[in-house]
Amino acid sequence: MKKEKLINERCNHMETKQLNSNQKQAVEMPLGATMVIAGPGSGKTFVITERVRYMISHLQCQPQHILVITFTKAAAEEMKGRYLKATHQTGVTFGTFHSVFYRMLRKADPNRYALERLISEDKKRQVIEKIYQGMDTGDAYEDFIEVFLGHLTLMTNQLIQPKYYNPDGISKEVFLKVFNSYEQYKERHGLFDFDDMLVHTYYLLRNDPHILTFYQSKYKHILIDEFQDINCVQFEIIKLLSSRHTDLFVVGDDDQSIYQFRGAKPEFLLSFEEYFNPVQKIILDVNYRSTPNILRYSNSLIGYNINRYEKIMHAAHIEGDKPIVTYCEDAKEQASLVLKEILKLNAAGLPLKECAIIYRTNIQARPLIEALRTVQIPFIIKDAMVTLYDQWMTKDILAYLHLAYNIEDSERLLQIINRPTRYISKLALEDARKKGGNLLKNLLESDLLSRLQKDRIEELIFNLQRLKTLTLKEAIPYIRHTIGYEKYLIEYAAYRKIPSEGLVNMLLELEDSAREYARVEEWEEALYAISMSVKQSSRQKGHDALTLTTMHSAKGLEFGAVFIIDILDGVIPHSKSLSDTQIEEERRLFYVALTRARERLYLYIPKNRYQKKVESSPFILETLTPKITLKEGDCIKHKMYGQGKVVKLDGSKAFIRFKNGQKVVDYMYCIKHHLLSREEKNESSKDKQKR
């Protein structure tokens, strides 16, 4: 492992090394609006810390007038620690957006914003759940709380008034009712939440010129990390604070903007020069993390994005191994191959904590966790994961399977009685329950049900009897298709105005997970064991354990060896990403995953998913074939028309002379879909003779 030792030594040299030319330029910029585009592994934390030191030692800035803002508490503490270690000087304010703005609110109104008035995220969830349940909408939508909370934060961060906000996935009417009730609850009890911290600070500064002037004088110099993740309300506050002195030093990377679903707007970084003119711009393009081979892949990929600052990251390291692309049959074989390689690296001396498996969504982790339990490899899951066992859909399927063997199980019957819809009212169910005994028998005898409704009950009884005769492998498809559960999910998604694909894929994952079990009890126990393993994985923190993480949660991390799985079309880019803007964000997400690797990168592409043939992600080809640009006179090769020469370019149209005549093609489309490549010009016969 001599190579690894050398690379690790180079990776750790940032603490003691001299600034490279671009870093030095960034650090020594005169006061004013400065934008530093810092690619992955380019030493942005080092640059910010050195910038603060330089401002104090060379630009006569007072420490108490300097504010450094980060997005995470860990990042703020790391920067503060580095600064104190280097200077032994206090006075500079380091903090997150929330911590800095909360201090402003506390100072303005200590009683209103006392810490005990802050609603925790758990308490917030409980309050909203209680409000929703008390509305008696007749809607059993288990995912409502998650969807609502996401929209609440997104609406708040974008400073959109509720009446103008249009949430997808839930009714606007229901959203407004729950929102208004939640706001009334906070007002009655004099409470506030984390979202309020930002919005209330914005209105405080905007509406009180004396307080605004105070903080403009206090924080004359503002430095912001990860500026590409800033949202609307954060940006507006920063504009207010910096409007007097405009000494604003922002560091970010537009290529790593992956949180638009939370309200982050990379446009603020891309349009920074429009808001703060004049602007000094520096690009940090030396990567101290990854090998050149890994960067060739990531540079090639991100080059296909249009809305970005043009830059190519250069490696400071030795060459290293080429990324390995592996095709496999399915998720099971994929998990086996990944763990085999991890065990091999571990046996050669690479700690488990230096290995990470990265995936697009949590659902992809299930086969991995099953395999990890078998070989007893300790692991940590970075995300808050809802396992298959805890999904409401799983509980529905299990209810059907258990009912087949105990048709008098009232609780399980109530769970699925209208899934799919059998039009059995709450009144009829309550009346049948009061009579005691067999609930299905009582429903068949009820005067509150029509003949059609009773036919549905009889059909259910028949299907439950049929289920009892089937193997587990046969039973779940029977529930999906014959009973109509999958159709119910699709109709449910249409009613909710959400894509049905995610729900159907979850159902397919359930079916796939049950394939190797003979009995319902065995399968249920396995699902439960996986759920427990996930919950217990947090105990592995601080130990030598493998990391499992989504691409979103991988941001900011780095590992000696990275394994990216399920690189499939529809997974990455996600099937819900249809617009060019969404595709670009998905490409940035994959770029983030690639650039987590220091020495080794492994890419896995299954040929089958849920027993069906699948295509590899178009991003794979993009990592291997850098995007080309055309100019007049270029020799090209078109997949359909063959070799040709570019005669004229007009916007995205290219006039190309082929052997069989001139044609006009949309060359941007051709490049995007890998239909066209550039060729070196053929040497003339005279040139050949000279040689």
Side-chain angles (χ1 to χ4, degrees):
M1 303 293 277
K2 290 183 179 179
K3 186 188 293 185
E4 281 75 12
K5 185 178 178 183
L6 177 59
I7 292 174
N8 284 331
E9 287 174 354
R10 289 191 166 190
C11 284
N12 295 329
H13 81 319
M14 293 297 294
E15 294 293 336
T16 56
K17 81 173 195 65
Q18 298 296 312
L19 295 162
N20 67 40
S21 58
N22 285 12
Q23 289 174 331
K24 189 172 187 296
Q25 185 184 358
V27 167
E28 297 181 358
M29 275 290 176
L31 298 179
T34 301
M35 176 175 60
V36 181
I37 307 300
S42 60
K44 61 182 181 63
T45 302
F46 179 63
V47 166
I48 293 173
T49 308
E50 290 300 301
R51 171 65 177 176
V52 174
R53 289 177 60 186
Y54 186 84
M55 290 167 66
I56 296 170
S57 61
H58 290 77
L59 301 178
Q60 288 73 52
C61 299
Q62 299 299 312
Q64 63 270 25
H65 293 318
I66 299 174
L67 171 64
V68 182
I69 303 178
T70 67
F71 274 84
T72 66
K73 185 179 178 181
E77 289 176 349
E78 181 186 0
M79 283 191 191
K80 185 177 181 179
R82 288 191 184 191
Y83 168 75
L84 292 174
K85 184 179 178 181
T87 66
H88 305 288
Q89 189 174 12
T90 60
V92 177
T93 299
F94 294 87
T96 64
F97 279 99
H98 281 90
S99 68
V100 171
F101 297 162
Y102 177 54
R103 286 197 290 271
M104 293 180 183
L105 293 174
R106 282 289 305 271
K107 186 175 179 63
D109 194 338
N111 182 56
R112 171 70 180 85
Y113 295 103
L115 191 58
E116 56 268 22
R117 294 181 180 271
L118 175 63
I119 304 177
S120 69
E121 290 300 291
D122 286 342
K123 178 65 175 177
K124 177 180 179 179
R125 185 183 299 271
Q126 292 170 13
V127 170
I128 291 170
E129 188 171 352
K130 188 175 180 180
I131 290 170
Y132 182 67
Q133 290 174 343
M135 290 173 59
D136 193 26
T137 61
D139 189 354
Y141 184 43
E142 288 85 346
D143 296 328
F144 176 86
I145 305 302
E146 286 300 324
V147 177
F148 177 86
L149 288 170
H151 280 299
L152 180 60
T153 295
L154 190 60
M155 180 186 73
T156 306
N157 288 342
Q158 295 184 98
L159 292 171
I160 300 175
Q161 293 183 38
K163 63 182 178 182
Y164 299 123
Y165 187 74
N166 295 303
D168 56 358
I170 55 177
S171 158
K172 182 173 181 176
E173 181 184 2
V174 175
F175 175 82
L176 287 174
K177 282 183 179 178
V178 176
F179 171 79
N180 289 329
S181 296
Y182 176 58
E183 289 297 303
Q184 290 165 12
Y185 173 86
K186 289 191 295 181
E187 189 174 344
R188 278 198 313 271
H189 296 87
L191 304 173
F192 66 102
D193 60 26
F194 283 95
D195 291 334
D196 293 330
M197 284 185 187
L198 305 184
V199 177
H200 290 192
T201 302
Y202 167 68
Y203 286 113
L204 174 70
L205 296 176
R206 195 188 75 170
N207 297 331
D208 194 321
H210 297 292
I211 292 178
L212 176 60
T213 301
F214 172 81
Y215 284 108
Q216 287 174 334
S217 300
K218 180 177 176 64
Y219 299 127
K220 296 178 180 179
H221 319 285
I222 302 174
L223 299 90
I224 305 174
D225 189 21
E226 303 285 9
F227 194 77
Q228 77 279 349
D229 294 332
I230 202 166
N231 61 42
C232 182
V233 65
Q234 291 165 339
F235 186 67
E236 291 299 324
I237 294 172
I238 293 302
K239 280 200 307 182
L240 287 170
L241 290 174
S242 61
S243 60
R244 186 175 177 184
H245 302 285
T246 324
D247 183 32
L248 187 60
F249 187 93
V250 304
V251 181
D253 183 11
D254 50 305
D255 290 337
Q256 297 186 76
S257 177
I258 59 174
Y259 297 125
Q260 289 196 57
F261 67 95
R262 295 181 188 169
K265 289 187 175 293
E267 295 89 342
F268 293 138
L269 181 64
L270 291 168
S271 305
F272 189 79
E273 293 167 278
E274 296 176 17
Y275 294 102
F276 304 95
N277 192 38
V279 173
Q280 307 161 116
K281 185 175 88 174
I282 306 99
I283 295 178
L284 305 184
D285 58 2
V286 179
N287 180 296
Y288 294 93
R289 177 187 301 155
S290 305
T291 64
N293 273 319
I294 293 172
L295 288 183
R296 270 192 279 275
Y297 275 54
S298 57
N299 282 331
S300 178
L301 170 81
I302 203 63
Y304 282 85
N305 272 6
I306 296 172
N307 298 307
R308 63 185 293 264
Y309 290 112
E310 289 291 334
K311 55 187 172 295
I312 296 176
M313 298 302 297
H314 305 282
H317 292 162
I318 58 178
E319 194 66 20
D321 298 330
K322 287 184 178 180
I324 297 173
V325 179
T326 301
Y327 289 85
C328 48
E329 282 302 313
D330 52 24
K332 186 177 180 181
E333 186 184 26
Q334 177 179 246
S336 175
L337 291 173
V338 169
L339 297 192
K340 183 179 178 181
E341 189 63 35
I342 288 172
L343 289 171
K344 180 181 171 184
L345 292 174
N346 187 237
L350 187 68
L352 288 174
K353 64 182 180 182
E354 278 295 319
C355 300
I357 304 173
I358 302 179
Y359 36 82
R360 175 63 178 84
T361 60
N362 277 319
I363 193 174
Q364 299 161 248
R366 193 268 308 166
L368 292 166
I369 297 170
E370 282 188 347
L372 286 165
R373 287 183 62 248
T374 302
V375 296
Q376 295 186 320
I377 294 177
F379 61 92
I380 298 170
I381 298 177
K382 293 294 292 183
D383 309 76
M385 180 187 293
V386 180
T387 64
L388 276 180
Y389 180 79
D390 300 304
Q391 295 284 349
W392 60 269
M393 206 180 303
T394 307
K395 299 185 189 308
D396 286 353
I397 299 298
L398 285 170
Y400 270 109
L401 295 171
H402 284 295
L403 270 171
Y405 291 90
N406 181 13
I407 203 165
E408 295 188 9
D409 190 334
S410 298
E411 291 304 316
R412 285 194 163 104
L413 178 63
L414 288 169
Q415 184 172 332
I416 56 86
I417 190 67
N418 282 311
R419 298 182 180 187
T421 303
R422 299 182 178 94
Y423 306 102
I424 313 301
S425 68
K426 286 185 177 180
L427 180 64
L429 287 169
E430 191 60 36
D431 181 68
R433 288 189 74 178
K434 286 178 181 177
K435 293 177 181 178
N438 190 317
L439 186 58
L440 282 172
K441 182 174 178 290
N442 293 342
L443 286 169
L444 286 173
E445 296 173 353
S446 174
D447 295 330
L448 299 174
L449 297 185
S450 68
R451 184 64 256 170
L452 177 63
Q453 290 169 312
K454 290 180 180 181
D455 287 346
R456 296 292 177 93
I457 297 295
E458 288 176 349
E459 183 184 26
L460 172 61
I461 294 171
F462 172 82
N463 282 324
L464 290 173
Q465 291 169 342
R466 180 77 175 102
L467 274 177
K468 195 174 180 178
T469 68
L470 302 176
T471 65
L472 181 60
K473 189 177 179 179
E474 296 167 332
I476 297 179
Y478 188 89
I479 296 169
R480 283 179 58 200
H481 302 300
T482 306
I483 293 178
Y485 190 80
E486 185 170 319
K487 184 181 178 184
Y488 156 73
L489 289 180
I490 294 169
E491 291 172 348
Y492 174 72
Y495 169 69
R496 280 292 170 187
K497 298 179 180 178
I498 58 174
S500 62
E501 188 177 2
L503 297 176
V504 174
N505 280 346
M506 187 69 70
L507 191 56
L508 291 170
E509 189 72 26
L510 271 171
E511 185 178 337
D512 193 62
S513 71
R515 232 171 256 285
E516 296 182 16
Y517 298 95
R519 295 168 58 244
V520 176
E521 291 78 12
E522 291 175 353
W523 178 51
E524 188 172 7
E525 285 173 9
L527 291 176
Y528 177 75
I530 290 171
S531 178
M532 289 299 100
S533 294
V534 169
K535 290 171 182 172
Q536 293 166 5
S537 70
S538 60
R539 299 176 187 175
Q540 300 294 338
K541 290 180 180 179
H543 296 83
D544 187 28
L546 172 69
T547 295
L548 274 61
T549 177
T550 61
M551 294 177 178
H552 283 102
S553 294
K555 189 170 178 292
L557 306 176
E558 60 179 78
F559 303 90
V562 166
F563 301 78
I564 306 176
I565 64 169
D566 289 334
I567 309 174
L568 302 170
D569 194 17
V571 176
I572 180 74
H574 199 277
S575 56
K576 293 191 294 185
S577 301
L578 302 175
S579 69
D580 289 342
T581 300
Q582 291 169 325
I583 293 293
E584 290 211 349
E585 173 132 345
E586 289 286 298
R587 190 175 285 111
R588 292 195 295 268
L589 192 56
F590 192 48
Y591 176 78
V592 166
L594 294 173
T595 55
R596 299 311 93 195
R598 289 201 300 269
E599 297 98 39
R600 290 188 172 92
L601 177 63
Y602 301 83
L603 309 175
Y604 290 83
I605 307 169
K607 298 174 185 176
N608 299 280
R609 193 172 192 230
Y610 305 135
Q611 312 300 305
K612 292 183 180 179
K613 291 285 184 183
V614 285
E615 297 292 328
S616 62
S617 168
F619 293 165
I620 279 289
L621 188 57
E622 292 176 358
T623 64
L624 301 171
T625 53
K627 181 180 176 181
I628 65 171
T629 55
L630 291 185
K631 60 182 184 295
E632 293 179 5
D634 279 348
C635 295
I636 61 94
K637 185 176 181 179
H638 193 281
K639 278 196 173 183
M640 185 179 296
Y641 305 125
Q643 292 179 326
K645 187 175 183 178
V646 179
V647 178
K648 179 184 175 184
L649 293 173
D650 183 8
S652 65
K653 293 181 179 178
F655 297 77
I656 304 175
R657 185 171 63 248
F658 294 99
K659 188 176 181 180
N660 297 323
Q662 183 169 294
K663 296 188 180 296
V664 181
V665 301
D666 186 332
Y667 81 91
M668 294 299 293
Y669 175 89
C670 292
I671 290 171
K672 183 178 180 180
H673 293 85
H674 311 286
L675 302 175
L676 185 150
S677 60
R678 189 172 56 216
E679 294 192 328
E680 296 297 325
K681 293 181 181 179
N682 293 326
E683 294 178 308
S684 67
S685 57
K686 288 183 179 180
D687 289 333
K688 289 181 179 179
Q689 289 173 1
K690 285 179 181 179
R691 283 179 58 189

